[in-house]
């Protein structure tokens, strides 16, 4: 298993820039964080530029042997020769100077903090005599323990670059490449959570699980078993603890047993000095929560390390200290829950097995841990309540929890069969409703849904309308969009039960949104006020979705982001996914791809998914797959797409709710551009027809629009125009003009639409309209007009941020020049003659002329001067 060679590209490029400018660089990060790999990548970049690279390594076992590390690296001059060095130190200095003589040499010292002080001093002395490029790697060290002779302080000018953890998608890329195939999302989430995004640790954990058989290839996909930890993984975690004091190790052990807790409680377990030491080694993370500051171990593999040590004197000592910190009795300690490395399965839900006693990415990992712990704890509590009193009321809350924790169908069916059908009618209806939601959202068995709810109606009395609402919602998720007017009118529910009014109103609003009737939906949502029923609360993100369809993008994003923050704080899984879906849609429309990438990685890494939010999760996975495909990470893109398909929701009411476009791009990667686009368009259009036949007007229209972007035709434009006429959402009014202009192909109409979209902040459609208009202008020979429009387009788009204009394709991209045509065109634009280009590229002059002829035709120009101006635009 080898790490992916393109990780931390931004840090690599920064390091190269500083080194070329004469500034030494120290790459600092946790063991397993990829420092050594990154140093090699930096060295390779400079080697490619003609530099010489000299390597040395700090070795902890040689710290007591002065200069030994330099001798091993061959950096010691020979002593005893006439006019040679007279001491070992001067021999080291002269050896280093000889190695870097002549300039253009990089000295790389890996694990520089493991060098002995005299070796460090020799390097600093040599640098003071003749400055040279110096690249070091180091780990975080508490300030009180830092050596005063450390190279990063004594060699100036210099910078320290942090090597950050990988995000979720980058971790998935790493694992996919290392395992040689796709990996299921649950396994990625567990490795990501345990490793903290440290690539070396993630690889070690995955390799250990693979060798042990707890990570297996099944149906071409790597899938994880219930328990992934193996004894061999201890060695992967040991480097993180190598320098920690005995008191610090006990502190880590205590936090592993106690879980995430507030700093005040942590202070009862250890003094400030120990907390400061652990923080100095970057093994703690602090997360604010209400008025408290929570502290947790990082990475979470340390938790499993200590929980699997077994019972011994050290464990008993620490366990006693933890118990004492929580009041002195075991009952006052918080329930110990499973760390993300272990999967919550039917055995845990059934109560038979208990766990042993025992930057933005980092914050996400801690928050996700809290989320997982909360829902596992909730599952244990609800299971216990039901076992002690198996009634429809306790069964309803248990099944609802199982919808979040991913319980198997057999476990839910066991609860269904073991619950007596007695007691209050409302409780029976609630139990049947949640069971029906499970059958629909997870099992996708609409026949069973209808059968269960039909039986429920027999004795439902006044709750029949509530059942109708739930049934309509399930049908919306898994089959087609029912007519909202088939539900009882809200006026007839005004004086009835609050739950019925809220649930039926919420479902009606979602049905209206599926048809694009956003103003009606928004009015209805606002009339419901602050909802209290569990189901209605789970659908609160319908409001920002309605705001987006109303073309109120800033309000939609602000509300979605507020909901996302609140949902994470309260561990509301439905709110997290639902709010993230709306926020992702707005960020896509705004062209804020960097923020979108961070958002997707943050939400997809949680490892907890409510069955009610599977369609939105599929959309998030599909968007992530599209971004990965655009970045050339094809295996990662296909893995994300397969994860989306594995959720089995199918195209439904939520736009972008399938990975069809991402898969089509991957399948067409080897085809000529026009054929690849035609392939994508055909697949998208087939999906469009399915969606529209199922009554999903809004998602069907968006899917059709994507098909037209790939390959505009008058026939498809006419169909979408008819659909748009039935949708009242203001956002679709914008999109309708965009689709019409694409299908007509008139360049000035396209540019007019692009200007309007750019001014409204609809960056995604604006850039595509500009690109199509510019291509049409160049094809008609209006190169000067194209250059003028290109400049104006950049000016309009840059108002929306640095990334907005980045989506505007260059002239060469818009003209779809081949790589060779683009290369020859740019060489010609730089002033080279045809003969010069031919000699440089080892091709004939006639071949150069033929390529330039095709470039002129594609760009719509007649000579090199015009071509140079267009390419510069």
């Amino acid at each position: 298993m080898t790490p992916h060679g393109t990780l931390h590209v931004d840090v690599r490029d920064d390091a190269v820039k500083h080194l070329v400018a004469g500034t030494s660089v120290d790459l600092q990060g946790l063991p397993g964080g990829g420092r050594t790999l990154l140093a090699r990548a930096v060295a390779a970049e400079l080697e490619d530029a003609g530099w010489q690279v000299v390597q040395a390594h700090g070795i902890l076992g040689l710290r007591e042997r002065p200069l030994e590390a330099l001798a091993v690296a061959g950096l010691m001059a020979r002593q005893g020769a006439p006019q040679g060095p007279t001491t070992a130190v001067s021999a080291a200095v002269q050896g280093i100077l000889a190695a870097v003589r002549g300039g253009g040499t990089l000295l790389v010292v890996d694990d520089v903090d493991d060098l002995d002080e005299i070796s460090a001093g020799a390097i600093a002395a040599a640098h003071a005599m003749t400055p040279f490029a110096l690249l070091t790697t180091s780990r975080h060290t508490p300030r009180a323990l830092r050596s005063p002779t450390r190279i990063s302080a004594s060699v100036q000018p210099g910078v320290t670059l942090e090597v950050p953890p990988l995000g979720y998608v980058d971790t998935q890329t790493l694992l996919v490449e290392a395992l040689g195939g796709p990996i299921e999302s649950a396994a990625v989430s567990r490795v990501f959570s345990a490793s903290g995004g440290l690539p070396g640790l993630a690889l070690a954990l995955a390799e250990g699980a693979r060798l042990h058989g707890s990570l297996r290839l099944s149906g071409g996909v790597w899938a994880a078993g219930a328990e992934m930890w193996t004894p061999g993984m201890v060695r992967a975690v040991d480097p993180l603890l190598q320098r920690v004091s005995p008191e610090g190790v006990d502190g880590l052990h205590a936090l592993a047993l106690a879980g995430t807790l507030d700093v005040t409680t942590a202070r009862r377990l250890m003094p400030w000095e120990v907390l400061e030491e652990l923080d100095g080694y970057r093994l703690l993370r602090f997360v604010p929560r209400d008025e408290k500051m929570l502290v947790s171990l990082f990475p979470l593999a340390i938790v499993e390390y200590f929980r699997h040590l077994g019972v011994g004197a050290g464990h008993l000592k620490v366990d006693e200290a933890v118990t004492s910190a929580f009041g002195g009795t075991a009952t006052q300690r918080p329930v110990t829950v499973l760390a993300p490395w272990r999967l919550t399965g039917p055995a845990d839900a059934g109560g038979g097995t208990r766990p042993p006693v025992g930057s933005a990415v980092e914050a996400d990992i801690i928050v996700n841990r809290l989320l997982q712990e909360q829902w596992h704890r909730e599952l244990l509590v609800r299971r216990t309540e039901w076992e002690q009193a198996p009634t429809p009321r306790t069964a309803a809350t248990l099944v609802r929890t199982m919808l979040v924790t991913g319980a198997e169908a057999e476990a839910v069916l066991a609860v269904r069969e073991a619950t007596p059908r007695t007691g209050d009618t409302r409780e029976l209806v609630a139990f049947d409703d949640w069971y029906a939601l499970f059958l629909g959202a997870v099992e996708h068995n609409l026949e069973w849904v209808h059968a269960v709810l039909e039986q429920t109606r027999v004795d439902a009395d006044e709750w029949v309308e509530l059942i109708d609402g739930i049934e309509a919602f399930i049908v919306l998720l898994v089959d087609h969009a029912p007519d909202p007017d088939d539900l009882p009118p809200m006026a007839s529910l005004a004086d009835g039960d609050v739950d019925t009014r809220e649930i039926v109103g919420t479902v009606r609003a979602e049905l209206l949104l599926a048809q694009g009737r956003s103003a009606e939906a928004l009015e209805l949502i606002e009339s419901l006020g602050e909802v209290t029923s569990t189901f209605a609360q789970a659908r609160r993100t319908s409001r920002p979705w309605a705001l987006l369809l109303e073309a109120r993008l800033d309000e939609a994003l602000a509300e979605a982001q507020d909901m996302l923050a609140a949902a994470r704080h309260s561990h509301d899984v439905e709110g997290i996914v639902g709010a993230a879906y709306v926020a992702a849609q707005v960020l896509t429309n705004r062209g804020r791809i960097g923020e979108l990438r961070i958002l997707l990685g943050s939400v997809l890494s949680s490892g907890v998914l409510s069955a009610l939010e599977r369609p939105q999760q599929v959309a998030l996975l599909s968007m992530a797959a599209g971004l990965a495909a655009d970045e050339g990470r094809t295996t990662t893109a296909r893995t994300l797409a397969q994860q989306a398909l594995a959720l089995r929701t199918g195209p439904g009411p939520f736009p972008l709710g399938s990975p069809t476009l991402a898969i089509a791009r991957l399948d067409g990667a080897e085809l000529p551009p026009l054929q690849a686009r035609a392939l994508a368009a055909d697949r998208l259009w087939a999906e469009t027809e399915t969606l529209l036949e199922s009554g999903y007007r809004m998602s069907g229209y968006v899917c059709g629009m994507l098909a037209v972007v790939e390959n505009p035709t008058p026939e498809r434009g006419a169909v979408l125009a008819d659909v748009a006429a039935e949708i009242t959402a203001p956002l679709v009014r914008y999109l309708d003009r965009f689709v019409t202009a694409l299908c007509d192909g008139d360049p000035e109409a396209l540019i007019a639409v692009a200007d309007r979209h750019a001014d409204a902040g609809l960056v995604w459609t604006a850039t595509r309209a500009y690109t199509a208009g510019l291509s049409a202008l160049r094809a008609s020979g209006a190169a000067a007009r194209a250059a003028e429009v290109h400049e104006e387009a950049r000016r309009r788009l840059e108002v929306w941020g640095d990334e907005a204009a980045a989506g505007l394709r260059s002239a060469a991209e818009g003209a779809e020049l081949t790589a060779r045509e683009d290369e020859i065109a740019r060489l010609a634009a730089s002033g080279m003659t045809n003969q010069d280009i031919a000699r440089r590229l080892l091709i004939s002059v006639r071949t150069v002329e033929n390529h330039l002829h095709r470039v002129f035709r594609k760009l719509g120009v007649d000579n090199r001067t015009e071509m140079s101006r267009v390419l510069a635009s």
Side-chain angles (χ1 to χ4, degrees):
M1 302 175 77
T2 57
H4 193 280
T6 58
L7 301 174
H8 298 313
V9 173
D10 52 342
V11 183
R12 181 200 68 192
D13 292 345
D14 278 350
V16 169
K17 178 179 65 177
H18 284 298
L19 290 167
V20 169
T23 302
S24 68
V25 173
D26 181 45
L27 301 173
Q28 189 173 77
L30 284 167
R35 297 169 298 156
T36 299
L37 175 67
L38 184 54
R40 290 175 188 164
V42 172
E45 286 287 307
L46 291 176
E47 278 186 314
D48 288 345
W51 288 48
Q52 300 296 316
V53 175
V54 178
Q55 298 270 359
H57 301 274
I59 302 171
L60 184 60
L62 297 180
R63 286 197 70 181
E64 302 304 317
R65 296 178 61 86
L67 301 175
E68 195 69 25
L70 297 184
V72 170
L75 295 176
M76 296 286 290
R78 184 178 177 185
Q79 289 180 256
Q83 299 182 351
T86 57
T87 67
V89 174
S90 61
V93 172
Q94 288 193 25
I96 294 168
L97 291 175
V100 301
R101 184 174 291 118
T105 301
L106 171 69
L107 174 60
V108 181
V109 185
D110 198 15
D111 287 327
V112 70
D113 33 17
D114 285 337
L115 275 183
D116 62 276
E117 291 188 0
I118 296 178
S119 293
I123 292 173
H127 192 277
M129 295 170 66
T130 304
F132 52 86
L134 176 63
L135 173 66
T136 59
T137 72
S138 65
R139 65 176 70 198
H140 300 283
T141 305
R143 182 172 295 279
L145 300 178
R146 293 175 192 167
S147 169
T149 62
R150 68 190 190 281
I151 290 178
S152 59
S154 55
V155 174
Q156 298 295 337
V159 296
T160 296
L161 300 180
E162 188 76 19
V163 181
L166 301 179
Y168 173 81
V169 175
D170 280 340
T171 300
Q172 176 154 281
T173 298
L174 182 75
L175 295 175
V176 164
E177 180 175 297
L179 292 168
I183 179 171
E184 65 174 10
S185 59
V188 177
S189 294
R190 290 157 69 189
V191 174
F192 175 69
S193 295
S195 68
L198 303 180
L201 185 54
L203 288 169
L205 295 177
E207 175 70 352
R210 186 185 68 81
L211 292 175
H212 192 262
S214 51
L215 187 62
R216 294 190 180 95
L217 195 60
S218 175
V221 177
W222 289 95
E227 177 70 71
M228 288 181 69
W229 181 267
T230 66
M233 295 178 189
V234 168
R235 187 166 181 174
V237 179
D238 267 335
L240 292 163
L241 315 181
Q242 193 173 34
R243 298 172 179 274
V244 180
S245 69
E247 296 78 13
V249 171
D250 283 347
L252 292 171
H253 196 162
L255 288 173
L257 299 186
T260 302
L261 68 167
D262 63 272
V263 173
T264 301
T265 306
R267 282 276 293 108
R268 299 193 201 118
L269 293 171
M270 67 197 79
W272 273 118
E273 291 78 9
V274 174
L275 281 172
E276 287 177 332
E277 177 195 351
L278 298 179
D279 188 35
Y281 284 123
R282 295 289 289 159
L283 299 178
L284 301 181
R285 295 297 182 269
F286 296 89
V287 179
R289 181 57 55 96
D290 297 326
E291 297 179 357
K292 296 181 178 180
M293 182 66 72
L294 303 183
V295 60
S296 178
L297 293 184
F298 181 90
L300 298 183
I302 298 175
V303 175
E304 292 300 317
Y305 175 93
F306 284 107
R307 289 184 179 178
H308 286 83
L309 283 181
V311 177
H315 174 88
L316 293 174
K317 178 190 72 173
V318 173
D319 191 61
E320 182 180 271
V322 173
T323 300
S324 176
F326 285 101
T329 64
T331 57
Q332 291 177 285
R333 284 178 60 166
V335 178
T336 303
V337 299
L338 298 175
W341 193 242
R342 178 133 176 253
L343 181 67
T344 301
D348 301 308
T353 302
R354 289 292 185 268
V357 177
S359 89
V361 170
E362 297 168 359
D364 283 342
I365 289 168
I366 303 306
V367 171
N368 290 342
R369 181 190 181 189
L370 291 171
L371 181 72
Q372 293 179 4
E373 289 181 344
Q374 167 64 27
W375 279 101
H376 178 66
R377 185 181 294 112
E378 181 76 5
L379 181 63
L380 295 179
V381 169
R382 298 307 175 192
R383 167 68 71 171
T384 300
E385 288 179 349
W386 177 77
E387 288 174 342
Q388 293 175 349
T391 66
R393 180 185 62 79
T394 59
T397 56
L398 174 57
V399 172
R400 184 265 185 279
T401 306
M402 293 171 110
L403 275 168
V404 173
T405 53
E408 299 291 339
E410 293 80 5
V412 178
L413 182 60
V415 173
R416 171 76 174 179
E417 293 178 344
T419 302
R421 299 190 62 76
T422 59
D424 182 75
T425 301
R426 175 67 182 94
E427 293 175 356
L428 272 169
V429 168
F431 178 34
D432 287 347
D433 283 347
W434 284 111
Y435 181 63
L437 282 164
F438 176 84
L439 293 175
V442 178
E443 295 300 301
H444 300 278
N445 194 319
L446 203 54
E447 183 180 347
W448 289 0
V449 169
H450 292 317
V452 166
L453 295 182
E454 192 58 40
Q455 182 62 38
T456 307
R457 285 188 181 90
V458 173
D459 300 312
D461 300 328
E462 72 271 26
W463 305 108
V464 169
E465 292 167 325
L466 186 152
I467 296 170
D468 291 343
I470 292 293
E471 188 168 32
F473 175 74
I474 297 172
V475 171
L476 174 71
L477 283 189
V478 303
D479 191 69
H480 69 275
D483 188 338
D485 294 329
D486 289 343
L487 289 175
M490 295 307 296
S492 68
L493 304 176
D495 298 325
D497 176 76
V498 172
D499 277 4
T500 299
R501 179 177 176 275
E502 288 182 353
I503 290 173
V504 172
T506 298
V507 172
R508 183 181 177 86
E510 297 227 359
L511 297 180
L512 289 168
L513 289 172
Q515 292 190 352
R517 295 159 62 181
S518 51
E520 295 173 70
L522 190 58
E523 181 181 1
L524 175 53
I525 291 167
E526 292 175 342
S527 73
L528 294 175
E530 189 65 29
V531 296
T532 57
S533 70
T534 303
F535 175 82
Q537 286 181 327
R539 314 308 304 169
R540 281 177 297 181
T541 52
S542 295
R543 176 181 160 79
W545 175 231
L547 290 172
L548 173 56
L549 296 186
E550 284 289 290
R552 294 158 61 178
L553 272 66
D554 290 337
E555 293 176 70
L557 182 58
E559 196 160 310
Q561 289 175 326
D562 287 346
M563 284 188 172
L564 180 58
R568 288 190 159 189
H569 186 276
S570 62
H571 308 123
D572 171 14
V573 178
E574 285 96 357
I576 291 173
V577 177
Y581 170 73
V582 177
Q585 298 285 315
V586 178
L587 293 174
T588 299
N589 276 283
R590 285 281 196 243
R592 290 157 61 174
I593 304 304
E595 292 175 69
L596 174 64
R597 187 179 291 106
I598 293 171
L599 172 68
L600 292 174
S602 174
V603 175
L604 294 176
S605 68
S606 72
V608 181
L609 172 63
S610 170
L612 298 184
E613 300 301 308
R614 285 191 175 191
Q616 289 97 319
Q617 182 83 350
V618 168
L620 296 177
L621 284 165
S622 300
M623 283 187 272
L627 289 179
D630 290 343
E631 294 165 359
R633 296 192 278 181
T634 56
T635 308
T636 297
R638 199 171 290 280
T639 297
L640 288 163
Q642 288 174 346
Q643 291 170 359
L645 294 174
L647 291 175
R648 299 190 301 121
T649 63
F654 301 102
L656 304 183
S658 84
T660 299
L661 178 56
I663 293 173
R665 284 178 177 167
L666 293 170
D667 291 346
E670 301 301 321
L671 297 175
L674 290 178
Q675 290 184 33
R677 289 186 182 178
L679 172 69
D682 290 345
R683 291 188 184 178
L684 287 166
W685 192 254
E687 187 168 296
T688 298
E689 292 176 332
T690 299
L691 287 165
L692 294 177
E693 288 169 3
S694 300
Y696 300 128
R697 283 184 193 161
M698 195 62 230
S699 57
Y701 183 85
V702 171
C703 188
M705 179 189 72
L706 295 177
V708 165
V709 168
E710 296 296 321
N711 185 20
T713 67
E715 295 77 16
R716 289 170 180 167
V719 171
L720 292 181
D722 290 341
V723 175
E726 300 174 344
I727 298 176
T728 59
L731 182 64
V732 176
R733 300 276 71 75
Y734 280 100
L735 301 181
D736 182 39
R737 297 185 186 94
F738 168 68
V739 168
T740 300
L742 278 178
C743 293
D744 289 347
D746 177 63
E748 294 300 336
L750 281 163
I751 291 161
V753 166
D755 286 344
R756 180 170 181 178
H757 281 224
D759 293 343
L762 296 171
V763 172
W764 190 89
T765 47
T767 54
R768 279 144 187 83
Y770 277 131
T771 297
L774 288 167
S775 294
L777 283 174
R778 294 183 187 115
S780 67
R785 169 65 176 151
E788 175 188 324
V789 170
H790 197 282
E791 184 60 32
E792 175 64 14
R794 285 197 175 279
R795 187 188 64 77
R796 286 178 184 268
L797 291 171
E798 284 170 352
V799 172
W800 299 101
D802 294 338
E803 282 190 301
L808 188 62
R809 296 166 70 187
S810 70
E813 291 172 320
E816 294 180 350
L817 300 184
T818 66
R820 181 61 99 182
E821 288 169 351
D822 183 59
E823 182 180 30
I824 291 174
R826 295 190 183 281
L827 291 174
S830 71
M832 292 179 66
T833 66
N834 291 357
Q835 289 78 7
D836 291 336
I837 297 171
R839 281 194 296 269
R840 176 161 179 170
L841 299 181
L842 301 178
I843 57 179
S844 70
V845 173
R846 181 173 292 279
T847 299
V848 174
E849 292 171 348
N850 289 338
H851 276 93
L852 284 176
H853 176 74
R854 287 194 292 271
V855 169
F856 288 176
R857 178 171 49 79
K858 288 182 178 181
L859 295 180
V861 299
D862 296 322
N863 53 60
R864 290 186 176 217
T865 302
E866 290 181 357
M867 179 188 71
S868 300
R869 185 172 65 251
V870 170
L871 289 177
S873 65

